[in-house]
Amino acid sequence: MVFALLKYGLSKAYPAREEIPRTPDLKSHYDVVIVGGGGHGASLAYHLAKHHGIKNIAILEKGYLGGGNTARNTTVIRSNYTDQRSIRFYARSLRLYEALSNELDYNMMYSRRGQLTLSHSDGVSRSLRLRADAGNFCGEANEIVDRKQIKDLVPSLNLDIKGMPILGGLWHPNAAIARHDAVVWGYAIRACERGVELHQRTEVVGMDVVGDKVTRVRTNRGDVSAGIVVQCVAGYSSVVAKMVGLKLPIRSYPLQAMVTHPIKPFLDPMVSSTALHCYISQSARGELVIGGSSDPYELYNTRSTLELKESLAASALEMFPFIGELKVLRQWAGITDMTPDYSPIMGRSPLSNYWLDAGWGTWGFKATPASGFFLAKAISDNRIPEEIQPFQLDRFERFDLVNEMGATAASH
Amino acid sequence: MKIMTCPLNGPRNITEFQCHGEVHQQPDPATTGDKEWAAYIWMSNNTAGVVREWWCHTPTNFWFLAERNTMTDEILATFPIPADGPLGEVL
Ligand SMILES: Cc1cc2nc3c(=O)[nH]c(=O)nc-3n(C[C@H](O)[C@H](O)[C@H](O)COP(=O)(O)OP(=O)(O)OC[C@H]3O[C@@H](n4cnc5c(N)ncnc54)[C@H](O)[C@@H]3O)c2cc1C
């Protein structure tokens, strides 16, 4: 131990393994160009390389790997949605997450906590009942719980919030959290081992379209030609789509969150209240992770506001009055690509070789494994798998929306 | 606290206002096909830069237009709805 310390402390040849390869030179052509190196881009690259033998892939990331919303989210992983089409999709993602540390041989710190969604009104109680029944119908565990059961699950929760007492809740035992960075790092490392090139600090600044095809992708480091281009750029979905002449049903809003300093573990499940616009979990480090609803107007800016932080703190205090002495340690925002129905846009675009992975808004972290899995299959077979068929862009033209507002707006 | 200047009520806390999205021209329903109508309903410019939007001061229910930079979070101008003439959709 002491000798090792001396040896490596004095030597420049430190044996640390460089797991994420340095950015190589751009080649002139790739079979698949993925715009955006967040969890979704990395997952797509991994699945294309692993299951479909497509290896000549470049991920182009304007900043650093996973520095977008992947690094900014509150890591709620759950499947308690309303519409069966969503429940089945997110349930699949949850299953992939459960096995992900093994699949990638990389520790995701996946932690099954269960999620408790609170109701303070008859209306919300009814919608929770609908979600419980729809989930159970699809084979996903859900349970309606009363005040006594809530007290047993979270003894420290204040049930008698002034003006809005807790009436009951939805208990979703399989909900979990995971380490967000590890998810994107794990996928990227294993993708690169299979030949995928990760280009950090490589911003896509334009694309050339000839007929119904994207022919060139222009970046700040030079141009490349591509067989297929996929955009996975979250908050910047509309900006990048505009480069190929597409308009999307997306509006970009900041979403803010914060963590307190660490305290002794007291909160095992995640707790969320739509009426209070607040959800809380305790991280493995003991920090309280607190999030809420989106900012009130559209913005491409990750500034924070005191109003939002005050309202999060006020709601958190209603639920757990004894945390008043805690200090906020960090706070931040990410830019989320919100769709009208709170469901994603995955699949084809009107251009023949341009694919979309967008509209993940405030709910896309939990979908990172499944979006990559199904989109890779779609691209390689040139056929949309049934599981993601409902989420194609053309649903808006058909007025066939997948409405998940009630199950998403404040619990992500 | 961020301040927005209402053309009717003067400078007020922005929490008193609601944003109702970008100004865009409604196509004529009588001559518009389903596809175009769906695009009008759902699609959004979602511009990164200067936008022209509908805003409402909720306590007085006063509607007006604002020009805002969505990259810098700056409100550049606010003005009453022009009595006639174009609203000035920013494409
Ligand atoms: C505060 C907050 C809390 C959230 N909580 C949850 C949650 O609890 N559960 C959940 O499931 N989801 C949650 N989300 C949503 C989730 O974070 C996102 O949906 C998900 O991370 C999107 O992953 P992504 O890979 O598509 O995007 P990102 O990780 O944002 O990656 C997109 C990448 O594209 C890059 N890019 C953009 N433009 C260009 C360009 N022109 N050229 C090259 N690269 C470009 C960006 O730099 C970025 O790295 C939350 C989001 C926020 C902001």
Side-chain angles (χ1 to χ4, degrees), chain A residues 168-191:
Chain A
L170 174 65
W171 174 237
H172 180 46
N174 285 332
I177 52 177
R179 175 154 188 227
H180 44 30
D181 296 322
V183 173
V184 59
W185 293 343
Y187 275 127
I189 290 165
R190 299 298 171 241

Side-chain angles (χ1 to χ4, degrees), chain A residues 216-232:
Chain A
R216 291 194 82 67
V217 178
R218 287 186 276 121
T219 84
N220 59 340
R221 293 177 54 230
D223 301 353
V224 297
S225 72
I228 283 169
V229 181
V230 194
Q231 68 163 77
C232 311

Side-chain angles (χ1 to χ4, degrees), chain A residues 80-82 84 87 125-144 170:
Chain A
N80 54 355
Y81 282 78
T82 313
Q84 284 176 40
I87 297 169
S125 296
R126 275 196 297 277
S127 84
L128 295 185
R129 162 73 63 189
L130 174 67
R131 278 166 67 189
D133 289 349
N136 291 335
F137 180 77
C138 298
E140 287 298 282
N142 282 303
E143 199 184 328
I144 293 292
L170 174 65

